[in-house]
Amino acid sequence: MSRLTAVVTAAALALAPISALAQESKGPALLRDTEIEQLLRDYTRPILRTAGLEKQNIQVVIINDGGFNAFVADGRRIFVNYGALMKSDTPNQIIGVLAHETGHLAGGHLAKMREQIAQAQTQMIIAMLLGAGAIVAGARSGNSNSGLSNAGAAAISAPQAVIQRTLLSYVRQQEENADRAGVKFLTTTGQSAKGMYETFKRFTNDSLFSARGADPYLQSHPMPAERVAALEELARSSPYWDKKDDPALQLRHDMMRAKTSAFMERQDTVYRRYPLSDSSLPARYAHAITTYLHGDLRSALAQIDTLIQTQPNNPYFHELRGQALLERGKPADAVVPLRKAVQLSNNAPLIEMLLGQALVASDNKAYTDEAIAILRAAVARETQAPIGYTQLAMAYGRKGDYAQADLASAQAAFLRGDNKTARDLASRAKTRFAIGTPGWVKADDIVTAKPLPGQKN
C-alpha cells in the first residue's frame, strides 16, 4: 500500500502546476534572460511547428538548478535546468532534449498520466473495499484466521503490486514514445538526432551501476541499456545523423553558456572554464560579466565596449553595459545603452523593463512619461514579471497618479503570490478610481481573485 501510494504521490507532484509551486518558499526559482530565452525559442520553433504545437504558445522556462534535467508539467511549458544548458556542448544536444520533451506534449502524456493515476486510485479503492468486506465477514464468522479473512487480506495487498507495475510500465512506455517522437521531429526538420543520443547516453551511463540487479518492471524509466540501444538505432536511421550544427548557431550557444557560467557560477569556476589566455568571444563575454559582478566597473565597461566594437548590433552587449551601470548606481548613464538595446532587440519586454527602471531611478521627472509608456508596453507583452509592475508603480507615484500606482503595486504583489498585500492595495486603488472604469475593474478583479493552490491567502 505504501509503495503504491508513493508512486501515485510522486506522479501527482510531477504533474502539479508550476505556477502554484513557484509561489511557495520551497518552489523552484526561475531564471529570466532575453538572450537565452530567444535562443531557446529559436531551438524549439521548428520542432513545435512539426509537432503541430506552433500555435499553442509553448514556452521554455529556465529553472535555477545546476543539475541536468528537463521536464513538462502543465502542457504549456517545457522546463529546463540551467545545468542542462551548461552541460550541452552543442546546440544539437539540448535541441534533442527539447525534442524529447515536445514528444511528451504532442502525445498528451500529462493528461493520459492523470487518467492512469485516477484508474489506479479507483482500482486500489475497490480492492480495499472488497478486502475489507471479506475481513468483516470472516470476523463475523467468529474466526479471524478463517480462509475468508485471509482472502480479504490478500484482496487488499495483491492488486497493489499489479497496479504499481502497470503504472510504472505506462510511464516507461511514455518515455519510449517521447524518444521516438523526438527523433521524428528532428528528422522532419532536417536535424541530427546524434546530440539527443549522446546526451541520453552520457547521463544514462551514470545510472547504470545503480540499475544493476534492479527489477525492470519497477523502474519508472526504461532500463538504461535498452533505452539507449533503441534510441541509437532510431537516431542512426536518420539521413541527418552526421549533420553538424551551423557555426553561427554554435557561437550563439557558446555565448549563452559563457553568460550562464558568468552569472551563475563562482568567479574561480568561471576563470577555470574561460582562462584569461582564452581570447574567444564567449570567453571575453564571460570575463566582462565577471568583472562587472566582482571587479572594477571601469575595467568591466572597457571590456564591454570592446565587445560592442566587435558586434555593434548585438543588443545584449548594450544591455550588459546598461545593466552594469544601473546596478553600480549610475542609472542616468545606463539610459543610452539600454535605449540602444531595446531598439536592437525589437523592443524585448524584459529589456524595456530594465530601461524603465533606469529612467525611474534617474530621478529626472522629464523621464517619467517615457518610463510609463515603455513599462506599460512591456507589461502588456510580458504579463508575468512583477518587476515591470513595480517600476510602473514608482513611475506613476512620481507623477502623482496614486490610483494607477496602487493598481500597479497590487498587480506586482499578486504576481509574487502575496495575495493579502495585493488585495489591500487593490482595495485602496478602487477608492481612487471612478466606479466602472478600466482601472476600477482591474482592481476589483484582484480583490475578488481566488488564490491558486499553495498560495497564501
Side-chain angles (χ1 to χ4, degrees), residues 84-107:
L85 304 178
M86 287 297 303
K87 294 170 184 176
S88 297
D89 297 326
T90 66
N92 189 243
Q93 290 177 354
I94 193 65
I95 289 172
V97 173
L98 297 172
H100 170 89
E101 299 305 329
T102 301
H104 283 302
L105 293 175

Side-chain angles (χ1 to χ4, degrees), residues 301-383:
L301 293 176
Q303 294 179 48
I304 296 170
D305 287 343
T306 301
L307 294 173
I308 292 174
Q309 290 173 6
T310 303
Q311 291 186 352
N313 293 324
N314 187 323
Y316 311 115
F317 291 164
H318 295 278
E319 178 193 18
L320 179 60
R321 195 179 205 284
Q323 184 174 352
L325 288 164
L326 178 60
E327 293 183 4
R328 290 300 187 90
K330 298 180 179 295
D333 295 336
V335 170
V336 171
L338 288 175
R339 278 192 179 129
K340 186 69 173 179
V342 168
Q343 174 193 350
L344 292 172
S345 66
N346 194 26
N347 301 315
L350 292 181
I351 302 180
E352 284 184 323
M353 290 179 190
L354 202 60
L355 172 57
Q357 183 178 354
L359 292 168
V360 171
S362 297
D363 200 25
N364 184 340
K365 290 188 176 181
Y367 286 154
T368 302
D369 288 337
E370 181 185 359
I372 290 174
I374 290 172
L375 288 166
R376 283 177 63 89
V379 298
R381 288 180 291 130
E382 178 53 70
T383 60

Side-chain angles (χ1 to χ4, degrees), residues 106-324:
H109 292 173
L110 293 176
K112 293 176 181 178
M113 175 56 72
R114 291 189 179 96
E115 293 176 2
Q116 290 292 318
I117 292 172
Q119 291 177 13
Q121 290 174 325
T122 301
Q123 293 169 13
M124 182 173 63
I125 291 170
I126 292 172
M128 291 175 64
L129 291 174
L130 290 174
I135 291 174
V136 170
R140 287 177 176 173
S141 70
N143 182 4
S144 60
N145 293 321
S146 69
L148 194 57
S149 294
N150 293 335
I156 291 177
S157 61
Q160 294 161 10
V162 175
I163 294 170
Q164 180 184 13
R165 286 174 179 263
T166 300
L167 187 59
L168 291 175
S169 175
Y170 186 78
V171 173
R172 290 195 305 273
Q173 187 60 53
Q174 284 189 334
E175 292 298 325
E176 293 170 353
N177 291 342
D179 285 347
R180 286 194 289 270
V183 172
K184 176 184 176 181
F185 299 151
L186 291 168
T187 301
T188 302
T189 55
Q191 300 181 85
S192 173
K194 181 185 287 188
M196 180 179 174
Y197 161 72
E198 291 172 343
T199 299
F200 280 41
K201 183 176 187 299
R202 185 198 324 165
F203 291 99
T204 304
N205 283 345
D206 295 339
S207 65
L208 280 175
F209 180 79
S210 61
R212 289 175 183 171
D215 183 345
Y217 297 103
L218 293 179
Q219 305 302 307
S220 62
H221 287 68
M223 290 298 284
E226 297 173 0
R227 183 178 181 185
V228 170
L231 179 57
E232 181 179 16
E233 182 178 356
L234 279 172
R236 286 186 177 276
S237 66
S238 168
Y240 305 105
W241 168 259
D242 290 318
K243 185 176 180 179
K244 304 294 183 183
D245 289 308
D246 180 84
L249 191 63
Q250 180 68 58
L251 177 59
R252 290 179 64 193
H253 187 84
D254 293 340
M255 295 291 282
M256 174 271 293
R257 295 177 70 211
K259 185 177 196 175
T260 303
S261 173
F263 274 110
M264 302 305 301
E265 296 185 314
R266 290 165 49 97
Q267 186 177 6
D268 56 342
T269 302
V270 176
Y271 281 111
R272 279 197 299 271
R273 288 185 184 275
Y274 304 97
L276 290 173
S277 58
D278 187 347
S279 61
S280 66
L281 191 61
R284 290 158 54 197
Y285 199 19
H287 298 160
I289 296 171
T290 302
T291 303
Y292 120 67
L293 290 174
H294 307 287
D296 177 64
L297 176 60
R298 182 178 299 179
S299 176
L301 293 176
Q303 294 179 48
I304 296 170
D305 287 343
T306 301
L307 294 173
I308 292 174
Q309 290 173 6
T310 303
Q311 291 186 352
N313 293 324
N314 187 323
Y316 311 115
F317 291 164
H318 295 278
E319 178 193 18
L320 179 60
R321 195 179 205 284
Q323 184 174 352

Side-chain angles (χ1 to χ4, degrees), residues 48-71:
L48 293 173
R49 185 184 304 118
T50 298
L53 300 174
E54 184 181 21
K55 296 182 180 179
Q56 301 302 313
N57 193 29
I58 305 296
Q59 298 177 328
V60 182
V61 180
I62 309 165
I63 294 181
N64 184 6
D65 191 310
F68 190 98
N69 194 24
F71 58 93

